[in-house]
Amino acid sequence: MRLLELTSDVVFKAFMLSNKNNLYKAKLLSVITKIPEKEFLKASYQSVELPISSVSDKIYKTDIIVKISNHIINIEMNRDYYRGLFTKNSMYYNKLKSEDLDVGESYIYVKKIIQINFDNFSKYNGNKLIYKFKMLEVNTYEEEYENEVESYHIDLAYLNNKCYNELNNEEKIIYLFHEKEIDKMRSENFMNEAIDEIERISNDKKIIGLYDKEAVEKKILNSRLIEAKEEGENLGEKKKIKEIALNMIDMGMDDNTIIKSLNISIDDLNNIKENRF
C-alpha cells in the first residue's frame, strides 16, 4: 500500500484531527513545547477559518488549532519554502492573539498563543531539529511581554539522512513524518496507533483523491514557474543580442559579419534595425 506523506496539507490535517492517535499527538506536542502530555490528552483539535473583523480583511484558514487550558497553539505544515511564508504564518499568530484579547475580560488572564511550524526544508543554521524563538532584549535576554511570544520551527529536513536506530527518543517521535523505516517504529502502543492511522488515511479514497489533486496542482505550479523562468531567460538573451547587434551596426560592421558573429538570421537583424528604439 502506498503511504501518503504527512507533509501533505491534506494528510497532515486528517492525521492531526483524528482521535485515534491522541497519545502520539500528546507526546509530539509535549516534546516540542515541554508542556505536560496530560494537557494535550484533554486538548481539542480544529481546522478553522479565523473570524474577520471587517470586509477588507483576508480570510485566514489555519492548518490546525489546538486548545488546552492556558494555551492556544497554531500548527502549520510548510511543505515548501517561499518568500513571505513565515510572514504569512505570523499573521495567523497575530490574528489568534487579537481574537483572544477581544473575547477576554482583562489583559491579565489572556491565553498564551504558540506557533508551531513543521518545515519540510532547512531554513536556519543551527543543525538541529527543533528551533524555539522568543522576543528577547538583545543584551539582557529579558522577555518583552509578560505573556511571552513563542514560536517553534521543526526542521524535518534535519532527519533526512539519519537512520532510525541512531535517533534519540524525541527525534524518533518526529521521525514519523518521514515514514521511512516505518516497521522499525512499531514498538510502543502510541507509535502503533499513529502508524495504523497513517495507513488508514492512506487507504481512504476521499483523502487519496485530495492528495493526488494537491500533487497535480503542485506540478502545474512548478511547470508554470519553470516556463516563466525560461521565458525570462530567453527575453534576457534576446535583449543582450539586440544590444550587441546595435553596437556592431554603429561601428559600421556589415550585415554578414553581424549575422555570422551572433548566429542570427537576416530577418532577425532587419527586425532589430526596425525596432531600434
Side-chain angles (χ1 to χ4, degrees):
M1 180 179 65
R2 175 182 64 157
L3 284 181
L4 304 183
E5 298 170 353
L6 268 177
T7 52
S8 156
D9 278 345
V10 171
V11 180
F12 178 71
K13 288 179 182 178
F15 181 78
M16 294 300 291
L17 292 173
S18 172
N19 293 322
K20 297 179 180 179
N21 54 358
N22 283 345
L23 185 54
Y24 170 82
K25 292 186 297 187
K27 288 184 177 293
L28 171 69
L29 297 179
S30 179
V31 157
I32 296 169
T33 63
K34 308 307 178 188
I35 298 171
E37 286 179 31
K38 62 181 181 180
E39 289 289 324
F40 292 108
L41 289 173
K42 300 179 290 184
S44 66
Y45 293 79
Q46 302 170 292
S47 178
V48 299
E49 279 186 5
L50 297 178
I52 58 175
S53 53
S54 68
V55 292
S56 60
D57 276 1
K58 291 182 178 179
I59 294 176
Y60 296 96
K61 180 72 173 180
T62 65
D63 276 357
I64 299 294
I65 297 290
V66 183
K67 293 184 178 181
I68 55 179
S69 55
N70 296 315
H71 303 79
I72 298 175
I73 302 172
N74 181 45
I75 307 175
E76 295 293 324
M77 171 55 69
N78 301 319
R79 184 161 188 167
D80 300 293
Y81 177 76
Y82 55 86
R83 279 185 64 188
L85 171 64
F86 296 154
T87 301
K88 174 184 76 79
N89 288 351
S90 69
M91 299 292 284
Y92 297 135
Y93 177 97
N94 293 327
K95 189 69 176 175
L96 284 166
K97 194 71 174 176
S98 65
E99 290 298 322
D100 192 44
L101 287 172
D102 287 344
V103 300
E105 295 181 358
S106 74
Y107 293 113
I108 298 175
Y109 301 112
V110 175
K111 290 180 182 290
K112 179 195 286 187
I113 311 294
I114 297 176
Q115 177 86 24
I116 298 178
N117 300 279
F118 285 93
D119 300 336
N120 194 37
F121 48 81
S122 293
K123 178 68 170 65
Y124 303 106
N125 298 321
N127 190 31
K128 60 182 182 177
L129 180 58
I130 301 174
Y131 293 83
K132 180 178 180 179
F133 293 87
K134 299 170 73 173
M135 195 170 289
L136 305 174
E137 203 283 327
V138 294
N139 294 315
T140 65
Y141 302 106
E142 294 171 283
E143 295 173 13
E144 182 175 9
Y145 300 107
E146 294 176 4
N147 194 0
E148 64 196 70
V149 175
E150 192 170 294
S151 68
Y152 297 85
H153 284 267
I154 316 306
D155 184 350
L156 298 178
Y158 171 81
L159 299 173
N160 280 350
N161 299 317
K162 295 185 178 293
C163 296
Y164 184 74
N165 291 334
E166 67 185 32
L167 305 178
N168 61 39
N169 289 332
E170 292 182 353
E171 291 170 341
K172 284 181 178 179
I173 292 174
I174 300 175
Y175 197 71
L176 184 67
F177 282 80
H178 281 277
E179 298 166 9
K180 299 183 297 183
E181 304 179 274
I182 202 158
D183 289 336
K184 292 183 180 180
M185 298 184 208
R186 287 192 176 275
S187 54
E188 299 180 66
N189 188 48
F190 75 93
M191 288 300 292
N192 292 334
E193 290 174 350
I195 293 169
D196 288 345
E197 186 57 13
I198 292 174
E199 291 179 346
R200 186 197 67 78
I201 290 170
S202 297
N203 202 36
D204 185 312
K205 291 182 179 179
K206 182 178 179 181
I207 298 296
I208 291 171
L210 292 170
Y211 176 88
D212 289 340
K213 180 175 180 288
E214 184 180 72
V216 169
E217 287 174 347
K218 183 182 178 183
K219 286 182 181 179
I220 292 172
L221 176 60
N222 287 340
S223 298
R224 287 175 176 170
L225 290 173
I226 292 170
E227 185 179 17
K229 180 181 177 182
E230 290 177 348
E231 186 177 333
E233 289 173 350
N234 289 335
L235 288 173
E237 187 65 24
K238 289 179 180 178
K239 183 178 179 182
K240 188 182 297 184
I241 289 173
K242 180 180 179 180
E243 290 175 354
I244 296 172
L246 290 173
N247 286 333
M248 295 174 79
I249 292 168
D250 291 342
M251 291 171 64
M253 293 186 181
D254 63 86
D255 289 355
N256 286 334
T257 301
I258 297 173
I259 289 169
K260 290 179 180 179
S261 298
L262 298 180
N263 193 29
I264 59 176
S265 68
I266 185 62
D267 289 337
D268 291 333
L269 182 58
N270 289 334
N271 187 52
I272 289 171
K273 290 178 179 179
E274 291 171 5
N275 295 282
R276 181 181 184 111
F277 301 107

